[in-house]
Amino acid sequence: MDREAPGAVLKRERARGVILELVESRSPGDPIPSERALCAELGVSRPTLRAAVDELVAAGLLVREHGRGMFVAPAKITQEMVSEQTTMSLPPAAGSWSSRLLEFATVAAGARVGRKLRISPAAEIVYAARLRLVDGAPMAVEHLHVPTALVPGLTARELESGHLHEHLRERHGIRVHEAVQAIEPTVVTQAEAELLDVPELSPALLFERLTTDTRRRPVEYVHSLYRGDRYRLVSRLTLGPAPAAPPEPDGHHPGIPPGEFAYARRDTFRSSTVGDVQAD
């Protein structure tokens, strides 16, 4: 592998930093200067600048439009990975979420799903594929598996509107208790790319979640694919004991927005996520 010329990495990193400042000072859809103008302003070569721009395009922060130039990408949807309570619910992700049902059927669980749900491979499950949208834009493709015996009469309409866990509690007497979730990077297939309106092999986040109820029964197995260019996860970490000194009289702590002091002190992050990432 050929090594880059001395200083090339630093030049690219500095160029990336300047472009990031431009992005952060503008609104989604705003243009940024052309590559030629940026090269002249920063004193870097076209290949160095293009490498920095390519990184920001791949990260979903910039958008190239052929014949028009470069623009600030739409804001990413942010999901925080901690909760204000000691329950499994998480703060809602940004934006207005909705669902479009792609497929709905009753099928045999099969070996893999049956093993996860702790039921026979021949047992029936409700399978549903949903396209999740934020403010009308496609954000994720979700594949949901629920044992039919737990949800007799579950309808397609229940999966298109409202919150699934509320339906499980109110209509089927199932109270969810805990969800163990794994997250890993991946890329989208051609079919997934068409649904999500992104190029094939675009980066994505793969979520796999198993939800159990208060009786420790698996009630839901879900795997979902989220757009890597529009979705990000943020975690708040507790790295040590709380300060001995009491908080200010109004409860405000420097560096934390008012009203969030108790939240920051109380919550911790678990590497094996317990929660529901905006899938319902």
Side-chain angles (χ1 to χ4, degrees):
M1 180 183 296
D2 294 335
R3 293 193 175 187
E4 295 183 88
V9 174
L10 179 58
K11 287 181 180 178
R12 186 174 68 242
E13 185 63 21
R14 287 178 174 171
R16 181 179 182 277
V18 171
I19 300 171
L20 266 178
E21 287 184 10
L22 291 173
V23 169
E24 291 169 356
S25 65
R26 287 163 165 75
S27 299
D30 286 350
I32 68 169
S34 67
E35 290 185 357
R36 179 178 298 177
L38 288 171
C39 285
E41 179 181 344
L42 301 177
V44 297
S45 68
R46 194 72 170 264
T48 295
L49 182 80
R50 184 158 292 172
V53 169
D54 286 345
E55 290 180 9
L56 297 178
V57 169
L61 299 174
L62 280 180
V63 174
R64 279 196 183 101
E65 294 190 13
H66 184 68
R68 294 191 61 212
M70 296 181 294
F71 300 84
V72 178
K76 291 198 175 189
I77 304 303
T78 300
Q79 171 69 62
E80 193 161 4
M81 299 297 290
V82 292
S83 172
E84 294 187 12
Q85 299 100 15
T86 57
T87 66
M88 68 171 285
S89 60
L90 291 176
S96 176
W97 287 75
S98 60
S99 300
R100 177 157 64 85
L101 199 60
L102 304 173
E103 194 169 339
F104 181 80
T106 299
V107 298
R112 183 172 183 274
V113 174
R115 195 163 51 245
K116 290 183 177 297
L117 293 174
R118 299 206 297 269
I119 58 178
S120 165
E124 289 188 339
I125 62 167
V126 172
Y127 166 76
R130 300 194 296 180
L131 181 65
R132 301 285 282 158
L133 304 102
V134 179
D135 299 329
M139 187 60 54
V141 179
E142 178 187 88
H143 302 269
L144 173 71
H145 311 77
V146 180
T148 303
L150 298 180
V151 288
L154 180 69
T155 66
R157 184 173 180 81
E158 290 179 72
L159 299 177
E160 284 190 306
S161 61
H163 193 289
L164 176 60
H165 292 164
E166 291 178 1
H167 284 299
L168 292 178
R169 182 180 66 250
E170 295 170 5
R171 298 197 56 181
H172 304 283
I174 296 173
R175 296 183 177 274
V176 295
H177 170 63
E178 184 177 76
V180 177
Q181 182 163 263
I183 308 167
E184 59 184 85
T186 186
V187 295
V188 300
T189 64
Q190 181 178 352
E192 292 163 343
E194 292 175 359
L195 288 170
L196 295 174
D197 194 24
V198 297
E200 185 179 359
L201 301 180
S202 292
L205 291 171
L206 176 64
F207 291 79
E208 188 174 25
R209 184 180 74 248
L210 181 66
T211 304
T212 54
D213 65 4
T214 52
R215 296 169 58 184
R216 301 187 180 277
R217 299 177 301 178
V219 298
E220 173 197 51
Y221 166 62
V222 182
H223 62 91
S224 309
L225 194 75
Y226 281 72
R227 288 176 55 165
D229 64 329
R230 292 291 315 279
Y231 196 78
R232 69 173 181 171
L233 301 170
V234 176
S235 60
R236 189 186 301 251
L237 308 179
T238 297
L239 303 178
E248 298 293 326
D250 63 356
H252 176 55
H253 185 276
I256 299 177
E260 296 192 9
F261 177 78
Y263 170 84
R265 292 185 58 186
R266 190 167 62 239
D267 289 330
T268 59
F269 176 76
R270 293 173 58 182
S271 57
S272 291
T273 321
V274 175
D276 183 335
V277 176
Q278 200 61 38
D280 302 308

